[in-house]
Amino acid sequence: MSFSHMFTAFLFSLIVCLVISECHADVNVNASHISKLVIDARTRRPIPDTFFGAFFEEINHAGAGGLWAELVDNRGFEVGGSNVSSNINPWIIIEDNSSSIIVSTDRSSCFERNKVALRLDVLCQGQSCPLGGVGISNPGFWGMNIEQGKKYKVVFYVRSLGPINLQVSFIGSDDGVKLASTNISAFGVNVTKWSRMETILEANGTNHNSSLQITTSNRGVVWLDQVSAMPLDTYKGHGFRSDLYQMAADLKPKTFRFSGGCYVEGDYLRNAFRWKDTVGPWEERPGHFNDIWNYWTDDGFGYFEGLQLSEDLGAFPVWVFNSGISHHDEVNTSDISPFVQEALDGIEFARGSSTSQWGSLRASMGHPEPFDLRFVAIGNEDCHKYNYLGNYLKFYEAIKHDYPDIQIISNCDGSIHQLDHPADLYDFHILRTCFPIIPSSITHQDPVQRHLLVSMLFGRKMLVLEAFMQLLLKLHFSLGLKRIGGYQMQLFLTLIRIMELQVIGYNISLLNLVEQHCLIQLFKILLAQLLHPQLSIKILKMGRII
């Protein structure tokens, strides 16, 4: 049975139960009883400025294709790794038939850390080529958003066996309308060597589903690599999409946690985020396969960009680095030294002088002054892993020795029992199914904590749960109100609110199976609190019906 049918059946059953429940109302309850909530404002606890922050992870293309303004997906033709033939997806070939062009990859790039380049063997000449020429096209991430009047910088590297004559254009993918175009030409003996080409395209129209095309009508062999297209209006020229940056800035975070998340760990260590591969010129970064969230990233948004974004937002960076642990493999504590040194080097990159080894690299990227890095987290959600404690202590001792002022964050939970290892802060994530969370969230003595637990579990379903939580908080402070009718009104208002969510565009049917089940459980628990105990037992068995 579909969830919408289940939900409808449940509401029908709910209404019937509420009507029946009037017969079970306690007629002896003193309806005039009034509950009072007394707040002593003399007792205060200071709230630090860093109480609220933001957390960034490369998930669902939050960086590549999102906050990072690069329009080209797979700019270096490296998807699938450094072996050839490589995966050029989502690039497509522009041709009329296979006799006009042959597209392949080889390892002839001038960049040592990403050797794959694209080779175009153009077999046609002039009028024998299709109208507009042959070549390649990139749709970006779900179509490039090209807007009239905006300027875009296109950069790529090229070499050829003969004269170069390329047309670079933005084309509407759905209508074929040319939004901007220019020609790139070169000749002479130097064309056989890799050269950097750069041009500015100004759009004469708007299309939210556009592609970047590089075409030619000249017979010959051309190699391309590291093709980039970025709007010129990124925030402060730092590469962040201005509109999405502003949304992040409007949150006014005082801390900014990056680069993850499970993204830092990797499903396997070979695919973990390693900061040294994400700094330096963009075209020299090798990129890597994000095996946690299953897509390739060119690492345009790297360690430096995370620090820069923190500074732009006016937030303290909270750098999360790999603890030698992934989801499937771990480094023994006896072998953890290279990871520890990598963390120390990363701190030097952020805080070191412009003359230090890693600080000088930061300076060469346009930031001679140190970043204000005060917080680091050793690993992400690794506390339960076999080698975490041993690895953690190695990191802790080394970092405190070189940077005693750094605040070190543990992955372990210190809310109930004191940690068995030194830490300045702890960051423990609650990720469970509804059964361990919901009962404790309903019965917890602290309504704020109760609200927090369920909010963490259903963060992306907050609109739905907010209605439930508001009702639960009302119940908590209305213990003297025993008449079923009063509760009924609150419950009906909550149900109306949930139905209103459909109107504002939130489709409850999009909940996954676990969330659907949890939603039904929440209804049942609410009813168990609202109705007569004997009737509640029957309601808690309703799952068999719906």
Side-chain angles (χ1 to χ4, degrees):
M1 181 182 294
S2 69
F3 180 65
S4 59
H5 291 155
M6 290 165 48
F7 192 70
T8 302
F10 180 75
L11 287 181
F12 177 77
S13 302
L14 172 64
I15 294 171
V16 172
C17 291
L18 286 173
V19 172
I20 295 174
S21 68
E22 286 290 344
C23 300
H24 295 270
D26 186 351
V27 295
N28 296 319
V29 170
N30 182 4
S32 64
H33 180 80
I34 299 175
S35 295
K36 292 183 179 180
L37 174 66
V38 179
I39 300 176
D40 185 356
R42 295 172 300 177
T43 303
R44 300 181 180 182
R45 181 178 297 178
I47 299 176
D49 292 338
T50 54
F51 181 75
F52 179 79
F55 168 27
F56 175 86
E57 179 172 14
E58 183 60 80
I59 176 175
N60 292 334
H61 290 277
L67 185 59
W68 188 242
E70 176 62 65
L71 296 175
V72 176
D73 186 4
N74 190 15
R75 54 177 289 171
F77 313 103
E78 303 279 344
V79 170
S82 59
N83 295 324
V84 292
S85 58
S86 184
N87 183 356
I88 68 170
N89 184 66
W91 291 91
I92 61 174
I93 302 171
I94 302 172
E95 60 178 341
D96 59 350
N97 56 65
S98 59
S99 63
S100 57
I101 186 173
I102 298 174
V103 177
S104 60
T105 56
D106 61 27
R107 291 179 50 81
S108 64
S109 174
C110 58
F111 301 110
E112 290 301 320
R113 293 204 295 174
N114 43 20
K115 294 299 295 182
V116 176
L118 189 74
R119 172 173 170 151
L120 308 177
D121 287 86
V122 181
L123 308 178
C124 61
Q125 174 66 38
Q127 293 183 354
S128 68
C129 291
L131 184 64
V134 296
I136 54 172
S137 174
N138 189 290
F141 305 86
W142 317 286
M144 296 182 181
N145 182 30
I146 303 301
E147 299 180 298
Q148 184 172 1
K150 278 194 173 185
K151 295 181 179 180
Y152 303 84
K153 180 168 72 172
V154 178
V155 177
F156 60 92
Y157 288 77
V158 62
R159 75 181 184 94
S160 176
L161 297 182
I164 295 171
N165 184 12
L166 300 174
Q167 186 174 69
V168 180
S169 312
F170 286 124
I171 305 291
S173 298
D174 48 3
D175 57 17
V177 173
K178 187 175 293 185
L179 304 172
S181 186
T182 191
N183 279 86
I184 302 291
S185 300
F187 55 89
V189 295
N190 288 332
V191 297
T192 60
K193 299 178 181 179
W194 284 103
S195 300
R196 184 180 186 272
M197 301 293 182
E198 178 179 323
T199 188
I200 304 296
L201 295 180
E202 182 174 353
N204 56 28
T206 296
N207 192 311
H208 305 305
N209 184 24
S210 303
S211 297
L212 176 69
Q213 294 188 359
I214 302 177
T215 56
T216 184
S217 297
N218 284 11
R219 181 184 287 113
V221 182
V222 178
W223 286 265
L224 296 171
D225 198 11
Q226 296 302 318
V227 183
S228 170
M230 294 189 75
L232 289 185
D233 65 345
T234 62
Y235 183 75
K236 289 187 176 182
H238 292 162
F240 311 121
R241 264 181 55 177
S242 297
D243 55 347
L244 295 183
Y245 167 81
Q246 191 57 52
M247 292 181 183
D250 289 344
L251 296 174
K252 297 180 174 58
K254 292 304 180 182
T255 57
F256 185 75
R257 184 181 190 265
F258 71 99
S259 298
C262 300
Y263 179 65
V264 169
E265 302 166 276
D267 207 29
Y268 292 90
L269 279 172
R270 64 177 179 270
N271 292 318
F273 179 88
R274 308 298 289 270
W275 77 266
K276 290 183 180 180
D277 289 334
T278 72
V279 295
W282 299 327
E283 60 270 19
E284 295 181 8
R285 304 180 188 183
H288 76 287
F289 178 59
N290 178 356
D291 66 350
I292 287 291
W293 308 120
N294 294 312
Y295 60 90
W296 176 267
T297 171
D298 293 317
D299 285 327
F301 190 106
Y303 179 44
F304 175 87
E305 286 71 28
L307 293 167
Q308 183 65 70
L309 181 57
S310 301
E311 183 177 89
D312 289 344
L313 293 171
F316 291 115
V318 179
W319 179 39
V320 185
F321 54 78
N322 189 283
S323 62
I325 296 173
S326 76
H327 284 192
H328 284 96
D329 49 356
E330 304 183 29
V331 175
N332 291 329
T333 300
S334 58
D335 301 320
I336 199 63
S337 295
F339 284 78
V340 173
Q341 187 59 53
E342 185 174 307
L344 294 173
D345 292 343
I347 298 174
E348 182 183 287
F349 177 91
R351 296 181 29 155
S353 72
S354 59
T355 59
S356 64
Q357 178 183 355
W358 293 105
S360 62
L361 176 57
R362 181 199 68 239
S364 72
M365 297 178 68
H367 202 288
E369 296 300 319
F371 288 106
D372 192 7
L373 178 63
R374 305 184 187 185
F375 305 94
V376 299
I378 302 175
N380 173 76
E381 298 173 3
D382 291 334
C383 185
H384 62 287
K385 303 293 180 62
Y386 183 77
N387 288 322
Y388 181 70
L389 180 58
N391 291 0
Y392 173 93
L393 292 173
K394 293 293 185 181
F395 283 102
Y396 183 91
E397 293 165 2
I399 293 171
K400 284 296 186 182
H401 180 271
D402 290 0
Y403 302 95
D405 63 307
I406 286 276
Q407 299 286 289
I408 297 179
I409 303 171
S410 167
N411 291 177
C412 299
D413 184 9
S415 63
I416 300 176
H417 303 290
Q418 185 174 358
L419 296 177
D420 61 356
H421 54 275
D424 299 295
L425 300 162
Y426 63 86
D427 179 12
F428 181 70
H429 301 173
I430 299 177
L431 300 171
R432 298 175 183 169
T433 61
C434 55
F435 290 106
I437 291 290
I438 289 179
S440 61
S441 67
I442 300 301
T443 60
H444 201 289
Q445 295 299 314
D446 181 357
V448 176
Q449 174 71 3
R450 175 177 59 207
H451 194 169
L452 176 63
L453 286 172
V454 180
S455 297
M456 291 178 68
L457 176 64
F458 292 97
R460 67 189 182 95
K461 302 297 185 292
M462 187 58 68
L463 284 176
V464 173
L465 285 182
E466 185 64 24
F468 285 112
M469 291 302 102
Q470 290 301 323
L471 175 58
L472 292 178
L473 291 176
K474 289 178 182 178
L475 293 176
H476 184 81
F477 294 115
S478 303
L479 297 180
L481 181 60
K482 299 297 184 181
R483 288 188 58 81
I484 296 298
Y487 289 143
Q488 279 182 314
M489 181 58 66
Q490 294 180 21
L491 185 55
F492 274 122
L493 289 176
T494 299
L495 296 176
I496 291 171
R497 173 58 181 156
I498 293 174
M499 293 302 98
E500 287 175 349
L501 297 177
Q502 300 278 357
V503 178
I504 64 174
Y506 190 93
N507 189 349
I508 295 177
S509 65
L510 295 180
L511 298 172
N512 64 39
L513 292 177
V514 172
E515 291 157 343
Q516 291 173 16
H517 185 72
C518 291
L519 184 60
I520 292 172
Q521 294 301 314
L522 275 171
F523 268 113
K524 290 195 230 177
I525 292 171
L526 282 176
L527 290 172
Q529 291 196 6
L530 298 183
L531 305 178
H532 190 279
Q534 295 302 316
L535 186 59
S536 299
I537 294 174
K538 298 178 182 179
I539 292 172
L540 288 173
K541 297 179 180 179
M542 285 177 60
R544 300 176 185 175
I545 302 174
I546 61 174

